[in-house]
């Protein structure tokens, strides 16, 4: 096999023969996205996995995403295409730290961004995604919320919901938080007709300059349906590239050349090939108690409209 197309064809052949569903997060390489059954944000992928009739699912994304798929589809075999692909944000907080905070703030509802480990989700009250965080938090009856692990997303939610008392913990995505205000100002100056669209994982002072703040899917939908012709994209640079393919008549600029998630870039077409052949990847195995406890916090999100 000597070119990308040959490997893709072989993966598609095995996929059909073994009835495998391939999920690709929108931050992974284009040659994987081209042959995936579903591409999208982390929560959309988990829902797609739960709905598919395939009994084997391969996640081309990071570990917490594969774990979320397993929690929602425990009867399926779920594989992470590259076992080393973790999420720097999800790995920042563990059960021990959050248990201590729960003891210190017993009257707070613990809201966990979906970018958390399955283990940590077992002691949280409700999950949110970047697209549903404001809506879910607004529906929580308790005024006091402990928001983990992303203090930038938490700050964004707090600004939309001034009546809530949202306590933040210092954590977040090093890729999104890397971009400083002066870079956003410079990008706006360089492209005065472009709208600035950013992910809420960015710093508050960057988000405050944006014309739109939303999830990866939210940013893509906004750009596709907007009347505007030019956009500065403030999230992983894959999104600007995907948008440019999908909307050739519009112009997309990356907010920063450094917005590259090295975790997502670890996942290669050969990783997917090895995984689907049965000699690579890692099967996600979670204790049944972990699955049922972590599922409560995801079910609560669905109940509140996430
Ligand atoms: P989404 O939930 O929008 O897929 O975002 C996940 C992520 O890791 C963003 O950095
Ligand atoms: Fe995690 Fe940040 Fe990469 Fe998203 S971009 S997967 S939050 S490290």
């Amino acid at each position: 096999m000597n070119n990308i197309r040959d490997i893709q064809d072989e993966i598609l052949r095995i996929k059909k023969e073994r009835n495998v569903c391939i999920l690709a997060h929108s931050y992974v390489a284009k040659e994987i996205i081209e042959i995936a059954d579903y591409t999208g944000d982390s929560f959309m992928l988990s829902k797609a996995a739960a709905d598919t009739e395939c009994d084997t699912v391969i996640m081309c994304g990071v570990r917490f995403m594969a774990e979320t798929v397993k929690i929602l589809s425990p009867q399926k075999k779920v594989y992470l295409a590259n076992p080393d692909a973790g999420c720097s944000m999800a790995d920042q907080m563990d059960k021990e730290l959050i248990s201590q905070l729960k003891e210190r703030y017993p009257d707070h509802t613990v809201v966990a961004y979906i970018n958390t480990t399955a283990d940590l989700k077992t002691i949280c009250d409700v999950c949110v995604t970047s697209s549903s965080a404001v809506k879910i938090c607004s529906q929580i009856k308790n005024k006091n919320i402990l928001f983990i692990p992303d203090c930038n997303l938490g700050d964004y939610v707090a600004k939309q919901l001034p009546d809530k008392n949202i306590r933040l913990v210092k954590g977040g995505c090093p890729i999104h938080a890397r971009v400083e205000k002066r870079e956003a100002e410079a990008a706006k100056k360089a492209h005065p007709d472009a709208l600035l669209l950013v992910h809420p994982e960015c710093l508050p002072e960057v988000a405050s300059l944006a014309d739109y703040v939303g999830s990866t899917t939210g940013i893509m939908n906004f750009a596709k349906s907007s009347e505007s012709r030019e956009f500065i994209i403030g999230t992983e640079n894959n999104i600007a590239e995907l948008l440019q393919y999908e909307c050739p008549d519009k112009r997309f600029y990356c907010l920063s050349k450094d917005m590259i998630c090295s975790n997502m870039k670890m996942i290669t077409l050969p990783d997917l090939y090895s995984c689907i052949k049965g000699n690579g990847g890692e099967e996600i195995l979670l204790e049944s108690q972990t699955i049922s406890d972590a599922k409560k916090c995801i079910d609560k999100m669905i109940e509140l409209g996430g």
Side-chain angles (χ1 to χ4, degrees), residues 282-295:
E282 179 187 318
E283 184 177 357
I284 300 292
L285 299 169
L286 298 172
E287 301 279 338
S288 56
Q289 192 63 48
T290 304
I291 291 179
S292 61
D293 289 349
K295 191 169 181 294

Side-chain angles (χ1 to χ4, degrees), residues 27 62 64 87-89 115 173-176 201 261 263-264:
Y27 291 172
V62 294
F64 81 83
C87 164
S88 316
M89 164 150 42
N115 294 37
C173 168
I175 290 100
H176 285 82
E201 290 174 14
C261 176
N263 301 296
M264 290 285 188

Side-chain angles (χ1 to χ4, degrees), residues 46-105:
S46 315
K47 286 208 280 202
D51 292 344
T52 176
E53 282 173 9
C54 299
D55 48 20
T56 301
V57 176
I58 299 179
M59 168 59 79
C60 298
V62 294
R63 184 169 291 272
F64 81 83
M65 296 177 182
E67 287 185 345
T68 308
V69 170
K70 185 68 186 175
I71 293 164
L72 289 175
S73 304
Q75 75 291 356
K76 292 186 175 137
K77 274 186 176 294
V78 178
Y79 291 87
L80 179 61
N82 183 330
D84 293 328
C87 164
S88 316
M89 164 150 42
D91 294 339
Q92 282 163 358
M93 285 177 204
D94 60 14
K95 243 167 128 176
E96 205 185 338
L97 172 76
I98 301 308
S99 300
Q100 285 167 9
L101 290 172
K102 275 171 65 122
E103 272 176 36
R104 200 180 308 163
Y105 306 112

Side-chain angles (χ1 to χ4, degrees), residues 27 89 113 129-134 147 150-157 160 171-173 176-177 197-208 210 212-219 234-235 259:
Y27 291 172
M89 164 150 42
Y113 188 22
T129 62
S130 51
S131 50
S132 65
V134 174
F147 192 100
D150 188 350
C151 61
N152 296 323
L153 174 61
D155 179 90
Y156 176 72
V157 175
Q160 313 302 309
C173 168
H176 285 82
L197 319 182
V198 312
H199 198 281
E201 290 174 14
C202 289
L203 295 175
E205 56 268 35
V206 172
S208 70
Y212 173 82
V213 180
S215 68
T216 46
T217 304
I219 288 175
T235 188
M259 290 183 97

Side-chain angles (χ1 to χ4, degrees), residues 108-289:
H108 283 55
T109 297
V110 182
V111 175
Y113 188 22
I114 198 147
N115 294 37
T116 40
T117 62
D119 197 39
L120 181 50
K121 284 185 179 83
T122 61
I123 59 160
C124 297
D125 297 307
V126 53
C127 248
V128 296
T129 62
S130 51
S131 50
S132 65
V134 174
K135 183 176 174 195
I136 305 274
C137 289
S138 74
Q139 293 190 44
I140 294 171
K141 292 204 175 74
N142 190 353
K143 189 178 159 67
N144 299 324
I145 290 174
L146 176 67
F147 192 100
I148 60 162
D150 188 350
C151 61
N152 296 323
L153 174 61
D155 179 90
Y156 176 72
V157 175
K159 285 192 174 113
Q160 313 302 309
L161 303 173
D163 292 343
K164 294 278 182 197
N165 170 29
I166 300 187
R167 190 173 288 280
L168 306 175
V169 187
K170 198 164 169 35
C173 168
I175 290 100
H176 285 82
R178 180 177 288 165
V179 181
E180 293 176 10
K181 185 181 179 192
R182 58 178 174 79
E183 273 180 281
E185 285 168 343
K188 278 170 77 103
K189 206 169 164 199
H191 307 291
D193 296 330
L195 296 182
L196 174 63
L197 319 182
V198 312
H199 198 281
E201 290 174 14
C202 289
L203 295 175
E205 56 268 35
V206 172
S208 70
L209 295 173
D211 298 287
Y212 173 82
V213 180
S215 68
T216 46
T217 304
I219 288 175
M220 290 189 78
N221 290 342
F222 183 96
K224 284 188 225 171
S225 60
S226 169
E227 299 278 305
S228 296
R229 315 303 302 160
E230 292 183 51
F231 306 88
I232 304 162
I233 303 298
T235 188
E236 220 276 351
N237 288 345
N238 233 39
I239 299 297
E241 193 182 328
L242 290 178
L243 279 167
Q244 194 61 76
Y245 281 114
E246 288 190 39
C247 313
D249 299 341
K250 296 182 175 179
R251 291 293 305 274
F252 297 93
Y253 311 103
C254 295
L255 172 57
S256 160
K257 64 176 175 31
D258 296 328
M259 290 183 97
I260 295 170
C261 176
S262 54
N263 301 296
M264 290 285 188
K265 301 307 177 220
M266 274 183 200
I267 307 140
T268 64
L269 191 67
D271 287 336
L272 173 56
Y273 184 39
S274 304
C275 186
I276 204 164
K277 278 194 302 180
N279 55 12
E282 179 187 318
E283 184 177 357
I284 300 292
L285 299 169
L286 298 172
E287 301 279 338
S288 56
Q289 192 63 48

